[in-house]
Amino acid sequence: MSERSERSGRQRTVPVLDLDAIIDDPGTRIIVCCGSGGVGKTTTAAALGLRAAERGRSAVVLTVDPARRLAQSMGLTELDNTPRPVAGVAGDGHLHAMMLDMKRTFDEIIEAHADPERARQILTNPFYQSLSSSFSGTQEYMAMEKLGQLRRSGDWDLIIVDTPPSRSALDFLDAPERLGRFLDGRLIRVLMAPAKAGGRSAFKLLNAGFGFVAGAMTKLLGAHVLKDLQTFVSALDAVFGGFRARAEQTYKLLQAPGTAFVVVAAPERDAMREASYFVERLAEERMPLAGLVVNRVHLSPAAALSAARSTAAAENLESKGEHELTAAVLRLHAGRMQLAAREHREQEHFASAHPTVPVARVPAMAEDVHDLDGLREVGRLLGAQ
């Protein structure tokens, strides 16, 4: 199945992304939607989840975007770290949705891998609290962890991940390596040494290295801080090593057959450049790319009437002082055709750089998606390629 586009007098064949074939395949277990902000990535993930459920799959959509659009469109008052069933799904499948709570996920790891008393000591430790809520990369680590938890649970046969906007959407691919560097780094070796390493120097190193203890915390030097440090380091030793292993397993899972990455973009210069970045990065990481979804593509029911002819006709009517409404409509049409031409050029640039990447195009809709009917229509358009 292909679509022909014309540029500079020659024909280009663009592979078409068949998303229905992907979601209908029982071998597809994970779909990861990634892309820059504001391109309809969350809507795409939700629409794929709904369409998969209505075609018989048991699907869960995991978003790490704190915006409430996903919950609202699925008729839920809120989303949290627990998968919530979505009502109103037609067909034999089931749909759940959830939003990643990175601190709660971190807490769950501690609770699952430490006895109750030790877990209490860790969860109330100020160093742990800072790490779990503000350490750079925590969100990506926890996204990997939650994805692994969902996959291991076996409760769903399809998991759809809506990643954070912008290039940080692929930071979770670095999570195992970054976590490994953190755990194996000089800082942790110093902290794991006996207290003779020096409380003040260790604290200064911690503060300089991560910046998550500052201000009032620097006044807490002494025995109390040393005890907190020891508890914190023992938590790393007891818990985080297992997380690193699980993160590496999840990374391998993302590379395996059964995973499909869908890059989402808008037909605009910056968004298409970001899409190229995502495609190239996924290739470097040997991640299975399904293809590109281009959202909000502007089309015209009167494509045979060019912008130039439409403008000329409008000018002719205006010069005669006749049919002002018709002239206004012609000018609107000319503007739409010019916009469509710009969007086509941006898509052509992408196709030139990535001629083998399958593409699905979703026409611009008259209004924003805010309910299941809207998601269902987006899913239909995604499948009708």
Side-chain angles (χ1 to χ4, degrees):
M1 195 174 182
S2 65
E3 174 182 314
R4 293 195 176 273
S5 59
E6 186 174 350
R7 184 189 179 199
S8 302
R10 62 178 193 274
Q11 297 288 321
R12 185 192 310 285
T13 300
V14 180
V16 173
L17 176 58
D18 188 349
L19 285 163
D20 275 352
I22 292 173
I23 62 177
D24 288 345
D25 182 357
T28 303
R29 304 301 301 274
I30 299 173
I31 296 176
V32 182
C33 296
C34 51
S36 56
V39 297
K41 182 166 50 62
T42 299
T43 299
T44 299
L48 287 174
L50 178 61
R51 189 166 180 84
E54 295 191 334
R55 294 170 75 90
R57 302 295 298 268
S58 177
V60 59
V61 178
L62 165 64
T63 182
V64 294
D65 185 351
R68 302 296 175 182
R69 294 187 302 274
L70 182 60
Q72 293 169 352
S73 64
M74 292 185 167
L76 300 172
T77 56
E78 62 179 354
L79 287 178
D80 55 22
N81 218 40
T82 302
R84 305 285 181 185
V86 177
V89 176
D92 299 328
H94 306 279
L95 179 63
H96 286 71
M98 62 180 297
M99 184 175 71
L100 178 73
D101 182 333
M102 66 178 184
K103 187 177 189 313
R104 182 59 206 144
T105 301
F106 222 141
D107 292 349
E108 289 172 354
I109 298 172
I110 302 298
E111 293 166 352
H113 295 87
D115 61 76
E117 176 56 26
R118 190 172 193 181
R120 185 193 64 77
Q121 293 175 352
I122 295 170
L123 294 175
T124 57
N125 185 278
F127 291 92
Y128 167 76
Q129 291 175 350
S130 296
L131 176 71
S132 62
S133 60
S134 60
F135 177 61
S136 174
T138 299
Q139 186 180 56
E140 287 75 30
Y141 299 156
M142 293 304 106
M144 290 286 279
E145 177 69 23
K146 183 56 67 176
L147 174 58
Q149 289 177 6
L150 292 172
R151 185 67 177 85
R152 289 189 297 271
S153 74
D155 293 336
W156 298 275
D157 59 33
L158 179 61
I159 303 166
I160 300 176
V161 183
D162 168 38
T163 56
S166 77
R167 295 191 175 189
S168 64
L170 292 180
D171 283 353
F172 70 93
L173 297 178
D174 297 324
E177 181 182 356
R178 291 170 64 190
L179 184 60
R181 288 199 304 265
F182 171 65
L183 293 174
D184 297 333
R186 179 184 174 191
L187 167 64
I188 298 304
R189 292 200 303 270
V190 169
L191 292 179
M192 286 183 175
K196 64 182 181 181
R200 181 176 294 272
S201 62
F203 185 87
K204 286 178 66 178
L205 181 60
L206 185 66
N207 191 38
F210 297 103
F212 60 69
V213 282
M217 290 291 289
T218 56
K219 300 176 182 178
L220 299 178
L221 293 174
H224 179 65
V225 169
L226 286 177
K227 181 179 179 182
D228 286 341
L229 275 171
Q230 290 167 353
T231 303
F232 175 66
V233 171
S234 69
L236 292 176
D237 190 35
V239 176
F240 286 47
F243 173 65
R244 174 169 52 184
R246 291 192 303 277
E248 290 170 349
Q249 291 171 1
T250 304
Y251 182 86
K252 292 177 182 178
L253 181 65
L254 290 175
Q255 290 180 316
T259 296
F261 280 82
V262 174
V263 177
V264 184
E268 302 161 1
R269 179 169 300 178
D270 289 346
M272 295 302 291
R273 284 177 176 172
E274 287 290 287
S276 289
Y277 164 79
F278 285 121
V279 167
E280 292 161 8
R281 175 70 197 282
L282 289 169
E284 290 174 6
E285 300 287 340
R286 300 190 303 278
M287 296 290 170
L289 172 67
L292 171 72
V293 170
V294 185
N295 274 327
R296 298 194 290 268
V297 175
H298 288 87
L299 306 172
S300 173
L305 179 59
S306 69
R309 289 176 58 196
S310 184
T311 300
E315 290 174 348
N316 182 48
L317 289 175
E318 290 167 347
S319 68
K320 297 177 180 179
E322 300 174 349
H323 306 287
E324 293 182 1
L325 180 58
T326 302
V329 170
L330 286 167
R331 288 200 175 276
L332 284 174
H333 173 74
R336 189 178 184 89
M337 291 297 292
Q338 290 167 351
L339 175 60
R342 288 196 299 272
E343 293 179 351
H344 180 72
R345 286 194 297 270
E346 296 303 331
Q347 294 173 75
E348 277 287 287
H349 291 156
F350 178 90
S352 297
H354 309 285
T356 63
V357 174
V359 178
R361 295 177 175 85
V362 178
M365 299 178 68
E367 58 183 23
D368 290 338
V369 175
H370 58 272
D371 56 18
L372 281 184
D373 286 339
L375 289 177
R376 193 171 285 115
E377 175 63 11
V378 173
R380 186 192 69 78
L381 293 170
L382 285 167
Q385 298 294 314

